[in-house]
């Protein structure tokens, strides 16, 4: 005898509800990790003395005219502060995208992928180092590569979660 009534569905068939899917939760975790990394870097650039450059391996002093040029120091500090402010703004936007979910997550990951890709381009096109002792050869390409991987995984999870059908059972 066949049972054709839908009211006799097994309870595990009703499992899809309005709750967050695993892919949505994992995508949000990826974005939070991204936000924590960039907030940590941004905080150093904005608030630490010398823009956190010595901690990043920049222990050399470029020669722009006079060795101890106050203008050079002020310009370098200004550029680090602006970069730090931008990183903190990116971290804040990532947190808001994480809280909003859906397409906001997708947009957050796309924005971060664009930023990381352009950063690698800038590192290659305009190397930070001079070859002098204490002069790094380039920016943190390895970090950007890891962030690209994290954001790519997060993007796939966010798209999967956003496009999944929202099934509801009464």
């Amino acid at each position: 005898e066949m049972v054709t009534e839908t009211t006799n569905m097994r309870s595990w068939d009703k499992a899809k509800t309005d709750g967050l899917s695993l892919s949505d939760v994992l995508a949000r975790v990826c974005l939070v990790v991204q936000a924590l990394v960039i907030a940590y870097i941004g905080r150093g650039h904005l608030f630490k003395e010398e823009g956190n450059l010595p901690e990043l391996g920049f222990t050399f002093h470029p020669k722009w005219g006079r060795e101890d040029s106050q203008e050079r120091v002020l310009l370098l500090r200004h550029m680090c502060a602006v970069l730090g402010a931008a990183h903190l703004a990116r971290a804040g936007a990532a947190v808001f995208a994480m809280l909003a979910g859906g397409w906001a997550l997708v947009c957050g990951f796309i924005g971060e992928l664009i930023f990381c890709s352009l950063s690698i381009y800038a590192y290659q096109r305009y190397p930070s180092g001079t070859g002098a002792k204490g002069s790094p050869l380039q920016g943190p390409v390895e970090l950007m590569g890891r962030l690209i991987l994290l954001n790519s995984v997060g993007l796939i999870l966010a798209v999967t979660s956003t496009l999944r059908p929202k099934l509801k059972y009464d």
Side-chain angles (χ1 to χ4, degrees), residues 64-76:
W64 295 350
R66 298 176 310 214
E67 177 62 27
D68 293 324
S69 167
Q70 184 63 21
E71 292 83 10
R72 174 191 54 83
V73 171
L74 291 174
L75 177 61
L76 197 54

Side-chain angles (χ1 to χ4, degrees), residues 28-170:
R28 290 170 190 244
V29 167
C30 288
L31 205 53
V32 166
V33 169
Q34 168 80 16
L36 290 173
V37 169
I38 60 180
Y40 176 77
I41 295 168
R43 182 187 62 81
H45 284 318
L46 184 58
F47 297 114
K48 285 189 176 180
E49 190 176 333
E50 296 185 5
N52 202 37
L53 292 179
E55 289 85 356
L56 295 174
F58 293 92
T59 57
F60 72 107
H61 294 282
K63 295 177 182 165
W64 295 350
R66 298 176 310 214
E67 177 62 27
D68 293 324
S69 167
Q70 184 63 21
E71 292 83 10
R72 174 191 54 83
V73 171
L74 291 174
L75 177 61
L76 197 54
R77 184 64 192 103
H78 168 77
M79 291 168 45
C80 286
V82 170
L83 181 62
H87 283 342
L88 291 173
R90 288 173 47 222
V95 169
F96 284 120
M98 182 272 305
L99 293 173
W103 289 108
L105 275 174
V106 173
C107 291
F109 286 120
I110 290 172
E112 288 303 317
L113 284 167
I114 291 169
F115 177 84
C116 292
S117 299
L118 290 176
S119 293
I120 290 175
Y121 168 78
Y123 297 155
Q124 300 298 320
R125 180 79 168 94
Y126 307 103
S128 59
T130 62
K133 182 178 178 183
S135 174
L137 295 177
Q138 61 186 6
V141 174
E142 297 83 15
L143 174 62
M144 289 299 135
R146 289 182 184 123
L147 291 178
I148 285 174
L149 177 62
L150 176 71
N151 286 303
S152 297
V153 169
L155 179 62
I156 291 167
L157 292 168
V159 168
T160 301
S161 172
T162 302
L163 294 179
R164 77 177 171 90
K166 307 283 193 239
L167 301 176
K168 294 182 183 178
Y169 297 103
D170 292 328

